Amino acid sequence: MNNAEALIGLRHTCDPADMEQPIFTTRAHVFQIDPSTKKNWVPGSKQAVTVSYFYDSTRNSYRIISVDGTKVIINSTITPNMNFTKTSQKFGQWADSRANTVFGLGFASEQQLAKFAEKFLEVKEAAKLAREKSQEKMETSSQQSQESGRETPSGNQASSFNGTDDEKISIGPENEALKSEAEQSRKCELELEALTESNARLQEALEEQKISAENWRSRVTQSQAEENQLRNQISELELQCKEVNLEKERNVQLTLRIQQLESDLQDKQQELENLCKQAEIIPQLMAECENLTAKLQAAELKSQDLSEKLKLLQGEIDGSQHKHKNMKTELKKFMDVLDGKIDELHEVRQGISKLGIDN
């Protein structure tokens, strides 16, 4: 059935004279199986659309219909041989042999999927009961036609031999009614054969769906295994990242330590350079110290000479009082000068001794 015919059917449902009415409505994402691969799903709508069960009281049939704007996405008549299969927590599917496709519905929650599946079973049982009733009617009508066909020829023969022309004319319409009943019986048998063929096709489609479901389950299992592997790899990468971060922190600490050591090394090198400069001055200080020592020795010799002269002068003083008095003042002056010189010599000696200790 194309979109135009389906839209016409939907317009009939809106007509008050038509008895087809919605009995259950929900919203879901609609998919159809790819006819080329029979494996991949092709989305029928970009967003969730309304999916409804319709009941036709005149035909005693049930349909699942979904329309996206002016486009008919689903127009599937439910038969007793159909099965709705839950392939995941929020996804279900069924095969329609008349449309030669498989429909899939993705729901927003598990509860919506469960309600749709329950309604599908309910409608399926109602369609089964309706078919059984129609088959019983066809069987009774066929039996009645067969019985009337068996009884009618003898009556017709008797009337042809014994009846009048008026009786022959009255029997004609009964034969036409029997012929119409036989034709209807034949039509019913053809419809029964078509339903049998449809049932076989549905069984084949169901088997294909079972195989497809098994394939999907294996793919899901494989994807779950791959997901677990990816999770393990992610955990390993996270551990490696933690280790890398620790190494980075250690490198930063080592870099700071190296910088500190380099600064300490520069300070030590500066101190060493200062010491080297001071070591260059030491020979000069030693030479000055030797000069001062020589001067001290010379001063000591002079001091000894002066002491001897002092003794001579003391003898001369003892020998001559007069000269002593005259020279006393000069001697005091000389002694003061000598004391200053001696003090200077002592200070020089102390300075030399200190320099020697420092060296």
Side-chain angles (χ1 to χ4, degrees), residues 330-346:
E330 295 178 359
L331 183 61
K332 287 181 179 180
K333 292 178 181 179
F334 182 77
M335 288 297 293
D336 293 330
V337 174
L338 184 62
D339 290 334
K341 295 291 182 181
I342 290 169
D343 292 332
E344 290 178 359
L345 289 173
H346 282 297

Side-chain angles (χ1 to χ4, degrees), residues 176-243:
E176 291 178 357
L178 290 174
K179 287 180 180 180
S180 63
E181 288 181 359
E183 289 177 356
Q184 289 179 358
S185 176
R186 182 58 180 169
K187 288 181 181 179
C188 291
E189 290 177 358
L190 293 173
E191 289 180 358
L192 183 60
E193 290 177 358
L195 289 173
T196 305
E197 291 178 359
S198 175
N199 189 12
R201 291 177 183 176
L202 287 173
Q203 291 293 334
E204 291 177 358
L206 182 61
E207 293 296 329
E208 290 179 357
Q209 288 303 312
K210 287 181 179 179
I211 294 169
S212 176
E214 290 177 358
N215 293 330
W216 277 107
R217 287 174 184 172
S218 63
R219 289 183 181 179
V220 169
T221 304
Q222 185 178 0
S223 63
Q224 288 177 351
E226 291 176 354
E227 183 180 359
N228 293 328
Q229 290 179 357
L230 290 174
R231 286 180 179 175
N232 294 329
Q233 290 177 359
I234 289 169
S235 61
E236 291 177 358
L237 290 173
E238 288 177 351
L239 292 174
Q240 291 178 1
C241 289
K242 289 180 181 178
E243 292 177 356

Side-chain angles (χ1 to χ4, degrees), residues 8-259:
I8 292 169
L10 290 175
R11 291 192 186 98
H12 288 317
T13 60
C14 298
D15 190 356
D18 200 338
M19 300 303 293
E20 189 172 18
Q21 296 178 355
I23 57 176
F24 179 82
T25 302
T26 186
R27 292 185 67 84
H29 290 273
V30 180
F31 298 87
Q32 286 189 20
I33 203 72
D34 190 352
S36 59
T37 61
K38 296 293 184 181
K39 293 181 180 180
N40 300 325
W41 289 105
V42 177
S45 61
K46 296 181 180 179
Q47 58 187 359
V49 295
T50 302
V51 181
S52 302
Y53 286 93
F54 280 85
Y55 173 63
D56 188 354
S57 59
T58 57
R59 300 177 182 176
N60 200 12
S61 63
Y62 296 87
R63 288 196 299 169
I64 298 175
I65 296 174
S66 177
V67 180
D68 185 9
T70 59
K71 179 183 177 183
V72 178
I73 306 173
I74 301 176
N75 186 12
S76 177
T77 302
I78 300 174
T79 62
N81 297 321
M82 285 186 178
N83 289 315
F84 185 80
T85 305
K86 297 179 183 179
T87 57
S88 66
Q89 293 180 351
K90 298 179 182 180
F91 192 85
Q93 63 185 35
W94 77 95
D96 189 344
S97 60
R98 294 183 179 179
N100 194 21
T101 186
V102 180
F103 294 102
L105 296 179
F107 295 90
S109 64
E110 298 180 17
Q111 291 79 8
Q112 292 180 355
L113 175 60
K115 290 180 180 179
F116 189 89
E118 291 176 0
K119 197 65 181 178
F120 194 96
L121 290 174
E122 180 182 343
V123 171
K124 175 184 173 182
E125 292 297 326
K128 185 177 180 181
L129 292 174
R131 175 176 285 185
E132 290 176 354
K133 289 180 180 179
S134 63
Q135 287 179 354
E136 289 178 358
K137 289 180 179 179
M138 286 189 294
E139 289 176 357
T140 53
S141 63
S142 63
Q143 288 177 0
Q144 290 176 358
S145 62
Q146 289 175 1
E147 290 176 357
S148 61
R150 291 173 183 174
E151 293 174 357
T152 302
S154 60
N156 289 334
Q157 290 176 359
S159 62
S160 62
F161 287 109
N162 299 323
T164 61
D165 293 334
D166 296 333
E167 289 176 351
K168 289 179 182 180
I169 293 169
S170 63
I171 293 172
E174 293 180 358
N175 290 329
E176 291 178 357
L178 290 174
K179 287 180 180 180
S180 63
E181 288 181 359
E183 289 177 356
Q184 289 179 358
S185 176
R186 182 58 180 169
K187 288 181 181 179
C188 291
E189 290 177 358
L190 293 173
E191 289 180 358
L192 183 60
E193 290 177 358
L195 289 173
T196 305
E197 291 178 359
S198 175
N199 189 12
R201 291 177 183 176
L202 287 173
Q203 291 293 334
E204 291 177 358
L206 182 61
E207 293 296 329
E208 290 179 357
Q209 288 303 312
K210 287 181 179 179
I211 294 169
S212 176
E214 290 177 358
N215 293 330
W216 277 107
R217 287 174 184 172
S218 63
R219 289 183 181 179
V220 169
T221 304
Q222 185 178 0
S223 63
Q224 288 177 351
E226 291 176 354
E227 183 180 359
N228 293 328
Q229 290 179 357
L230 290 174
R231 286 180 179 175
N232 294 329
Q233 290 177 359
I234 289 169
S235 61
E236 291 177 358
L237 290 173
E238 288 177 351
L239 292 174
Q240 291 178 1
C241 289
K242 289 180 181 178
E243 292 177 356
V244 169
N245 291 328
L246 292 174
E247 289 294 331
K248 287 182 179 179
E249 292 178 357
R250 291 175 185 172
N251 291 332
V252 171
Q253 293 176 357
L254 289 173
T255 304
L256 295 174
R257 180 61 179 167
I258 289 168
Q259 291 177 355

